[in-house]
Amino acid sequence: MLYTKLAKPFFFRLDAEKAHHMVIDGLYTAGKIPGIPGLARGMWGVKDYQELAVDLFGLKFPHPIGLAAGLDKNAKAVDMFANIGFGFAEVGTVTPKGQVGNDQPRLFRLPSDEALINRMGFNNDGADAMAERLAAVRERRIPIAVNIGKNKVTPNELAHEDYRACLQKLYPYGDFFVVNISSPNTPDLRALQHGDELRLLLTTVMEEMAIQAKKSGRGQKPVLVKIAPDMTDEQLAYTVDTISQSGVSGIIATNTTISREGLGHPNAKETGGLSGLPLKDRSTAVIRSVYKQTGGKLPIIGSGGIFTADDAYDKIRAGASLVEIYTALIYRGPELLNELALGLRKRLAEDGFVSITEAVGADYR
């Protein structure tokens, strides 16, 4: 109850972005103080439950609940994510060159809707700074994904070169990579989800992944594509088909939405991407569509609106092998991770599954 009774009331009195930076800076500092990481594990860490372990992409995940991109844009606090209970973490979005992002204010809470709206605009320190920070991580206890994007000033016809540049600088430091083509806050970025631009982008990404793998002398690392929830059924089917043909390792479904359906909070008028509880049903529906179209052969990470173990389990049964949270962490705190893990164990037992992987796509069997 430490977060909900003490920390959350304090943070929610602050400007949302100021609170965001305070959390990341606080985690960074805490990770450097002897004894604090162990204390955090004792308070919030999730035990290793055999039935929740996931082997995917050649990586071992202690459980399927990870941190979505957007919280730690610059990989400042990766040492602490395992300590507070995450099974993996996605850092970024990072761009080749650092950029300030959109004008402030650009992050808004909608407490009555349990949602956030952001129009950050890929504010980050750049790929070189992230590479330096990840190189300095002493102990990596969970897989770390690096979410890559393009700079705002880069035209779409040259976007593929920005993604290539990110891979060239960060390939040694990510366990897997996520191609972000679905943020609504970089002009025209979502156009990269369709047609020849998507095909060129993914061809370039896969070529560069092969080049970097050869340089490293080890096998090629996984790369996933993060898609938007706002496509029509026809657009989604075409996009998934193109992604499937590209040879990438999987899909993250989904990014934030531009929909404002059903919202009651005054901040709903703000432009940007909506995350949180209102996204739950749509992101699960996209997971179902992707799983059905690919026959379960293209792994999915489910993201969007997960606040309870039922929310996570619904996405897993719909076809997600792993799931991510972000907004729920802001509203519920790190104690949520244990609640989700214990809840998933209970639901597996109720359904007679020995492991979480048996539940993936169970709605189709």
Side-chain angles (χ1 to χ4, degrees), residues 83-111:
N83 294 327
I84 63 173
F86 282 103
F88 66 100
E90 189 180 342
V91 297
T93 299
V94 63
T95 54
K97 298 177 181 178
Q99 57 183 29
V100 298
N102 295 324
D103 293 338
Q104 297 183 17
R106 54 192 181 181
L107 181 62
F108 307 90
R109 304 184 189 97
L110 292 75

PDB file of all heavy atoms in Angstrom, residues 83-111:
ATOM      1  N   ASN A  83      14.044  -5.418 -10.237  1.00  0.00           N
ATOM      2  CA  ASN A  83      13.916  -5.338  -8.782  1.00  0.00           C
ATOM      3  C   ASN A  83      12.496  -5.026  -8.335  1.00  0.00           C
ATOM      4  O   ASN A  83      12.083  -5.444  -7.255  1.00  0.00           O
ATOM      5  CB  ASN A  83      14.872  -4.276  -8.230  1.00  0.00           C
ATOM      6  CG  ASN A  83      16.321  -4.653  -8.423  1.00  0.00           C
ATOM      7  OD1 ASN A  83      16.683  -5.812  -8.376  1.00  0.00           O
ATOM      8  ND2 ASN A  83      17.173  -3.654  -8.653  1.00  0.00           N
ATOM      9  N   ILE A  84      11.743  -4.280  -9.151  1.00  0.00           N
ATOM     10  CA  ILE A  84      10.364  -3.972  -8.758  1.00  0.00           C
ATOM     11  C   ILE A  84       9.364  -4.941  -9.386  1.00  0.00           C
ATOM     12  O   ILE A  84       8.157  -4.742  -9.270  1.00  0.00           O
ATOM     13  CB  ILE A  84       9.981  -2.508  -9.079  1.00  0.00           C
ATOM     14  CG1 ILE A  84      10.033  -2.223 -10.587  1.00  0.00           C
ATOM     15  CG2 ILE A  84      10.873  -1.542  -8.314  1.00  0.00           C
ATOM     16  CD1 ILE A  84       9.489  -0.838 -10.945  1.00  0.00           C
ATOM     17  N   GLY A  85       9.876  -5.999 -10.042  1.00  0.00           N
ATOM     18  CA  GLY A  85       8.991  -7.094 -10.400  1.00  0.00           C
ATOM     19  C   GLY A  85       8.716  -7.357 -11.851  1.00  0.00           C
ATOM     20  O   GLY A  85       7.950  -8.274 -12.179  1.00  0.00           O
ATOM     21  N   PHE A  86       9.309  -6.599 -12.781  1.00  0.00           N
ATOM     22  CA  PHE A  86       9.015  -6.829 -14.200  1.00  0.00           C
ATOM     23  C   PHE A  86       9.734  -8.069 -14.724  1.00  0.00           C
ATOM     24  O   PHE A  86      10.841  -8.396 -14.298  1.00  0.00           O
ATOM     25  CB  PHE A  86       9.418  -5.607 -15.033  1.00  0.00           C
ATOM     26  CG  PHE A  86       8.440  -4.478 -14.956  1.00  0.00           C
ATOM     27  CD1 PHE A  86       8.701  -3.364 -14.169  1.00  0.00           C
ATOM     28  CD2 PHE A  86       7.241  -4.541 -15.647  1.00  0.00           C
ATOM     29  CE1 PHE A  86       7.791  -2.323 -14.087  1.00  0.00           C
ATOM     30  CE2 PHE A  86       6.318  -3.498 -15.573  1.00  0.00           C
ATOM     31  CZ  PHE A  86       6.593  -2.397 -14.793  1.00  0.00           C
ATOM     32  N   GLY A  87       9.086  -8.738 -15.706  1.00  0.00           N
ATOM     33  CA  GLY A  87       9.671  -9.898 -16.355  1.00  0.00           C
ATOM     34  C   GLY A  87      10.500  -9.530 -17.568  1.00  0.00           C
ATOM     35  O   GLY A  87      11.309 -10.334 -18.046  1.00  0.00           O
ATOM     36  N   PHE A  88      10.312  -8.323 -18.088  1.00  0.00           N
ATOM     37  CA  PHE A  88      11.143  -7.746 -19.144  1.00  0.00           C
ATOM     38  C   PHE A  88      10.787  -6.269 -19.216  1.00  0.00           C
ATOM     39  O   PHE A  88       9.813  -5.824 -18.585  1.00  0.00           O
ATOM     40  CB  PHE A  88      10.933  -8.430 -20.509  1.00  0.00           C
ATOM     41  CG  PHE A  88       9.564  -8.251 -21.125  1.00  0.00           C
ATOM     42  CD1 PHE A  88       9.346  -7.309 -22.121  1.00  0.00           C
ATOM     43  CD2 PHE A  88       8.494  -9.042 -20.730  1.00  0.00           C
ATOM     44  CE1 PHE A  88       8.096  -7.151 -22.705  1.00  0.00           C
ATOM     45  CE2 PHE A  88       7.232  -8.893 -21.304  1.00  0.00           C
ATOM     46  CZ  PHE A  88       7.033  -7.954 -22.291  1.00  0.00           C
ATOM     47  N   ALA A  89      11.564  -5.499 -19.937  1.00  0.00           N
ATOM     48  CA  ALA A  89      11.291  -4.063 -20.040  1.00  0.00           C
ATOM     49  C   ALA A  89      11.666  -3.569 -21.420  1.00  0.00           C
ATOM     50  O   ALA A  89      12.660  -3.994 -22.004  1.00  0.00           O
ATOM     51  CB  ALA A  89      12.055  -3.283 -18.971  1.00  0.00           C
ATOM     52  N   GLU A  90      10.858  -2.637 -21.916  1.00  0.00           N
ATOM     53  CA  GLU A  90      11.081  -2.016 -23.221  1.00  0.00           C
ATOM     54  C   GLU A  90      11.441  -0.554 -22.990  1.00  0.00           C
ATOM     55  O   GLU A  90      10.668   0.187 -22.370  1.00  0.00           O
ATOM     56  CB  GLU A  90       9.809  -2.145 -24.057  1.00  0.00           C
ATOM     57  CG  GLU A  90       9.959  -1.744 -25.511  1.00  0.00           C
ATOM     58  CD  GLU A  90       8.658  -1.902 -26.289  1.00  0.00           C
ATOM     59  OE1 GLU A  90       7.743  -2.612 -25.831  1.00  0.00           O
ATOM     60  OE2 GLU A  90       8.550  -1.280 -27.368  1.00  0.00           O
ATOM     61  N   VAL A  91      12.616  -0.147 -23.450  1.00  0.00           N
ATOM     62  CA  VAL A  91      13.057   1.237 -23.289  1.00  0.00           C
ATOM     63  C   VAL A  91      12.928   1.977 -24.621  1.00  0.00           C
ATOM     64  O   VAL A  91      12.903   1.389 -25.684  1.00  0.00           O
ATOM     65  CB  VAL A  91      14.498   1.312 -22.761  1.00  0.00           C
ATOM     66  CG1 VAL A  91      14.592   0.702 -21.376  1.00  0.00           C
ATOM     67  CG2 VAL A  91      15.486   0.629 -23.705  1.00  0.00           C
ATOM     68  N   GLY A  92      12.874   3.311 -24.542  1.00  0.00           N
ATOM     69  CA  GLY A  92      12.660   4.121 -25.733  1.00  0.00           C
ATOM     70  C   GLY A  92      11.247   4.705 -25.725  1.00  0.00           C
ATOM     71  O   GLY A  92      10.541   4.625 -24.718  1.00  0.00           O
ATOM     72  N   THR A  93      10.834   5.273 -26.816  1.00  0.00           N
ATOM     73  CA  THR A  93      11.396   5.211 -28.143  1.00  0.00           C
ATOM     74  C   THR A  93      12.625   6.112 -28.250  1.00  0.00           C
ATOM     75  O   THR A  93      12.619   7.254 -27.808  1.00  0.00           O
ATOM     76  CB  THR A  93      10.349   5.625 -29.195  1.00  0.00           C
ATOM     77  OG1 THR A  93       9.248   4.719 -29.143  1.00  0.00           O
ATOM     78  CG2 THR A  93      10.931   5.653 -30.586  1.00  0.00           C
ATOM     79  N   VAL A  94      13.671   5.548 -28.909  1.00  0.00           N
ATOM     80  CA  VAL A  94      14.902   6.284 -29.138  1.00  0.00           C
ATOM     81  C   VAL A  94      15.022   6.589 -30.625  1.00  0.00           C
ATOM     82  O   VAL A  94      14.597   5.792 -31.472  1.00  0.00           O
ATOM     83  CB  VAL A  94      16.120   5.478 -28.638  1.00  0.00           C
ATOM     84  CG1 VAL A  94      16.276   4.164 -29.402  1.00  0.00           C
ATOM     85  CG2 VAL A  94      17.403   6.300 -28.725  1.00  0.00           C
ATOM     86  N   THR A  95      15.571   7.734 -30.945  1.00  0.00           N
ATOM     87  CA  THR A  95      15.796   8.149 -32.328  1.00  0.00           C
ATOM     88  C   THR A  95      17.299   8.332 -32.541  1.00  0.00           C
ATOM     89  O   THR A  95      18.062   8.453 -31.574  1.00  0.00           O
ATOM     90  CB  THR A  95      15.052   9.455 -32.642  1.00  0.00           C
ATOM     91  OG1 THR A  95      15.411  10.463 -31.672  1.00  0.00           O
ATOM     92  CG2 THR A  95      13.546   9.247 -32.592  1.00  0.00           C
ATOM     93  N   PRO A  96      17.761   8.360 -33.800  1.00  0.00           N
ATOM     94  CA  PRO A  96      19.216   8.467 -34.027  1.00  0.00           C
ATOM     95  C   PRO A  96      19.838   9.671 -33.333  1.00  0.00           C
ATOM     96  O   PRO A  96      20.884   9.567 -32.689  1.00  0.00           O
ATOM     97  CB  PRO A  96      19.328   8.571 -35.548  1.00  0.00           C
ATOM     98  CG  PRO A  96      18.117   7.871 -36.063  1.00  0.00           C
ATOM     99  CD  PRO A  96      17.039   8.183 -35.071  1.00  0.00           C
ATOM    100  N   LYS A  97      19.190  10.814 -33.462  1.00  0.00           N
ATOM    101  CA  LYS A  97      19.662  12.037 -32.822  1.00  0.00           C
ATOM    102  C   LYS A  97      18.677  12.428 -31.719  1.00  0.00           C
ATOM    103  O   LYS A  97      17.475  12.244 -31.849  1.00  0.00           O
ATOM    104  CB  LYS A  97      19.766  13.169 -33.842  1.00  0.00           C
ATOM    105  CG  LYS A  97      20.757  12.897 -34.966  1.00  0.00           C
ATOM    106  CD  LYS A  97      20.756  14.019 -35.975  1.00  0.00           C
ATOM    107  CE  LYS A  97      21.726  13.741 -37.125  1.00  0.00           C
ATOM    108  NZ  LYS A  97      21.696  14.813 -38.146  1.00  0.00           N
ATOM    109  N   GLY A  98      19.201  12.988 -30.645  1.00  0.00           N
ATOM    110  CA  GLY A  98      18.337  13.461 -29.577  1.00  0.00           C
ATOM    111  C   GLY A  98      17.402  14.563 -30.067  1.00  0.00           C
ATOM    112  O   GLY A  98      17.747  15.317 -30.981  1.00  0.00           O
ATOM    113  N   GLN A  99      16.212  14.625 -29.486  1.00  0.00           N
ATOM    114  CA  GLN A  99      15.268  15.692 -29.849  1.00  0.00           C
ATOM    115  C   GLN A  99      14.406  16.022 -28.642  1.00  0.00           C
ATOM    116  O   GLN A  99      14.186  15.184 -27.760  1.00  0.00           O
ATOM    117  CB  GLN A  99      14.419  15.290 -31.056  1.00  0.00           C
ATOM    118  CG  GLN A  99      13.628  14.009 -30.908  1.00  0.00           C
ATOM    119  CD  GLN A  99      12.871  13.626 -32.172  1.00  0.00           C
ATOM    120  OE1 GLN A  99      13.259  13.934 -33.296  1.00  0.00           O
ATOM    121  NE2 GLN A  99      11.739  12.956 -31.983  1.00  0.00           N
ATOM    122  N   VAL A 100      13.905  17.258 -28.624  1.00  0.00           N
ATOM    123  CA  VAL A 100      13.182  17.735 -27.437  1.00  0.00           C
ATOM    124  C   VAL A 100      11.740  17.287 -27.422  1.00  0.00           C
ATOM    125  O   VAL A 100      11.077  17.340 -26.379  1.00  0.00           O
ATOM    126  CB  VAL A 100      13.255  19.274 -27.328  1.00  0.00           C
ATOM    127  CG1 VAL A 100      14.688  19.724 -27.163  1.00  0.00           C
ATOM    128  CG2 VAL A 100      12.613  19.947 -28.549  1.00  0.00           C
ATOM    129  N   GLY A 101      11.200  16.856 -28.547  1.00  0.00           N
ATOM    130  CA  GLY A 101       9.799  16.467 -28.595  1.00  0.00           C
ATOM    131  C   GLY A 101       8.879  17.654 -28.761  1.00  0.00           C
ATOM    132  O   GLY A 101       9.305  18.763 -29.115  1.00  0.00           O
ATOM    133  N   ASN A 102       7.619  17.431 -28.516  1.00  0.00           N
ATOM    134  CA  ASN A 102       6.603  18.466 -28.714  1.00  0.00           C
ATOM    135  C   ASN A 102       6.570  19.454 -27.555  1.00  0.00           C
ATOM    136  O   ASN A 102       7.140  19.208 -26.486  1.00  0.00           O
ATOM    137  CB  ASN A 102       5.231  17.818 -28.901  1.00  0.00           C
ATOM    138  CG  ASN A 102       5.164  16.989 -30.168  1.00  0.00           C
ATOM    139  OD1 ASN A 102       5.760  17.336 -31.190  1.00  0.00           O
ATOM    140  ND2 ASN A 102       4.443  15.877 -30.120  1.00  0.00           N
ATOM    141  N   ASP A 103       5.868  20.551 -27.758  1.00  0.00           N
ATOM    142  CA  ASP A 103       5.761  21.582 -26.727  1.00  0.00           C
ATOM    143  C   ASP A 103       5.003  21.057 -25.507  1.00  0.00           C
ATOM    144  O   ASP A 103       4.082  20.244 -25.617  1.00  0.00           O
ATOM    145  CB  ASP A 103       5.036  22.817 -27.283  1.00  0.00           C
ATOM    146  CG  ASP A 103       5.841  23.529 -28.362  1.00  0.00           C
ATOM    147  OD1 ASP A 103       7.072  23.349 -28.395  1.00  0.00           O
ATOM    148  OD2 ASP A 103       5.226  24.250 -29.171  1.00  0.00           O
ATOM    149  N   GLN A 104       5.387  21.567 -24.352  1.00  0.00           N
ATOM    150  CA  GLN A 104       4.670  21.238 -23.116  1.00  0.00           C
ATOM    151  C   GLN A 104       3.516  22.207 -22.901  1.00  0.00           C
ATOM    152  O   GLN A 104       3.567  23.338 -23.394  1.00  0.00           O
ATOM    153  CB  GLN A 104       5.642  21.293 -21.932  1.00  0.00           C
ATOM    154  CG  GLN A 104       6.762  20.272 -22.036  1.00  0.00           C
ATOM    155  CD  GLN A 104       7.684  20.296 -20.820  1.00  0.00           C
ATOM    156  OE1 GLN A 104       7.341  20.835 -19.769  1.00  0.00           O
ATOM    157  NE2 GLN A 104       8.858  19.713 -20.953  1.00  0.00           N
ATOM    158  N   PRO A 105       2.467  21.770 -22.161  1.00  0.00           N
ATOM    159  CA  PRO A 105       2.255  20.452 -21.571  1.00  0.00           C
ATOM    160  C   PRO A 105       1.913  19.413 -22.634  1.00  0.00           C
ATOM    161  O   PRO A 105       1.295  19.745 -23.641  1.00  0.00           O
ATOM    162  CB  PRO A 105       1.082  20.686 -20.616  1.00  0.00           C
ATOM    163  CG  PRO A 105       0.316  21.804 -21.231  1.00  0.00           C
ATOM    164  CD  PRO A 105       1.340  22.694 -21.856  1.00  0.00           C
ATOM    165  N   ARG A 106       2.301  18.178 -22.382  1.00  0.00           N
ATOM    166  CA  ARG A 106       2.142  17.133 -23.388  1.00  0.00           C
ATOM    167  C   ARG A 106       1.836  15.769 -22.789  1.00  0.00           C
ATOM    168  O   ARG A 106       1.846  14.766 -23.482  1.00  0.00           O
ATOM    169  CB  ARG A 106       3.410  17.061 -24.241  1.00  0.00           C
ATOM    170  CG  ARG A 106       4.683  16.884 -23.425  1.00  0.00           C
ATOM    171  CD  ARG A 106       5.929  17.109 -24.251  1.00  0.00           C
ATOM    172  NE  ARG A 106       7.132  16.906 -23.424  1.00  0.00           N
ATOM    173  CZ  ARG A 106       8.368  17.054 -23.883  1.00  0.00           C
ATOM    174  NH1 ARG A 106       8.575  17.412 -25.135  1.00  0.00           N
ATOM    175  NH2 ARG A 106       9.408  16.841 -23.091  1.00  0.00           N
ATOM    176  N   LEU A 107       1.578  15.732 -21.484  1.00  0.00           N
ATOM    177  CA  LEU A 107       1.181  14.499 -20.807  1.00  0.00           C
ATOM    178  C   LEU A 107       0.054  14.823 -19.841  1.00  0.00           C
ATOM    179  O   LEU A 107       0.185  15.740 -19.022  1.00  0.00           O
ATOM    180  CB  LEU A 107       2.374  13.896 -20.060  1.00  0.00           C
ATOM    181  CG  LEU A 107       2.146  12.589 -19.312  1.00  0.00           C
ATOM    182  CD1 LEU A 107       1.755  11.474 -20.277  1.00  0.00           C
ATOM    183  CD2 LEU A 107       3.401  12.191 -18.526  1.00  0.00           C
ATOM    184  N   PHE A 108      -1.047  14.071 -19.946  1.00  0.00           N
ATOM    185  CA  PHE A 108      -2.260  14.423 -19.209  1.00  0.00           C
ATOM    186  C   PHE A 108      -2.885  13.172 -18.578  1.00  0.00           C
ATOM    187  O   PHE A 108      -2.997  12.130 -19.226  1.00  0.00           O
ATOM    188  CB  PHE A 108      -3.288  15.073 -20.147  1.00  0.00           C
ATOM    189  CG  PHE A 108      -2.742  16.235 -20.920  1.00  0.00           C
ATOM    190  CD1 PHE A 108      -2.152  16.035 -22.166  1.00  0.00           C
ATOM    191  CD2 PHE A 108      -2.778  17.522 -20.402  1.00  0.00           C
ATOM    192  CE1 PHE A 108      -1.625  17.093 -22.884  1.00  0.00           C
ATOM    193  CE2 PHE A 108      -2.248  18.587 -21.107  1.00  0.00           C
ATOM    194  CZ  PHE A 108      -1.669  18.375 -22.357  1.00  0.00           C
ATOM    195  N   ARG A 109      -3.278  13.298 -17.314  1.00  0.00           N
ATOM    196  CA  ARG A 109      -3.974  12.215 -16.629  1.00  0.00           C
ATOM    197  C   ARG A 109      -5.480  12.360 -16.817  1.00  0.00           C
ATOM    198  O   ARG A 109      -6.005  13.481 -16.846  1.00  0.00           O
ATOM    199  CB  ARG A 109      -3.671  12.221 -15.135  1.00  0.00           C
ATOM    200  CG  ARG A 109      -2.204  12.143 -14.771  1.00  0.00           C
ATOM    201  CD  ARG A 109      -2.062  12.068 -13.256  1.00  0.00           C
ATOM    202  NE  ARG A 109      -0.677  12.210 -12.826  1.00  0.00           N
ATOM    203  CZ  ARG A 109      -0.129  13.338 -12.417  1.00  0.00           C
ATOM    204  NH1 ARG A 109      -0.863  14.468 -12.402  1.00  0.00           N
ATOM    205  NH2 ARG A 109       1.129  13.382 -12.028  1.00  0.00           N
ATOM    206  N   LEU A 110      -6.153  11.221 -16.895  1.00  0.00           N
ATOM    207  CA  LEU A 110      -7.610  11.164 -16.910  1.00  0.00           C
ATOM    208  C   LEU A 110      -8.035  10.180 -15.817  1.00  0.00           C
ATOM    209  O   LEU A 110      -8.408   9.034 -16.096  1.00  0.00           O
ATOM    210  CB  LEU A 110      -8.141  10.710 -18.272  1.00  0.00           C
ATOM    211  CG  LEU A 110      -7.973  11.653 -19.479  1.00  0.00           C
ATOM    212  CD1 LEU A 110      -6.543  11.674 -19.981  1.00  0.00           C
ATOM    213  CD2 LEU A 110      -8.907  11.241 -20.609  1.00  0.00           C
ATOM    214  N   PRO A 111      -7.957  10.583 -14.545  1.00  0.00           N
ATOM    215  CA  PRO A 111      -8.170   9.625 -13.449  1.00  0.00           C
ATOM    216  C   PRO A 111      -9.514   8.912 -13.478  1.00  0.00           C
ATOM    217  O   PRO A 111      -9.589   7.713 -13.185  1.00  0.00           O
ATOM    218  CB  PRO A 111      -8.029  10.504 -12.195  1.00  0.00           C
ATOM    219  CG  PRO A 111      -7.179  11.649 -12.623  1.00  0.00           C
ATOM    220  CD  PRO A 111      -7.566  11.915 -14.045  1.00  0.00           C
TER     221      PRO A 111
END
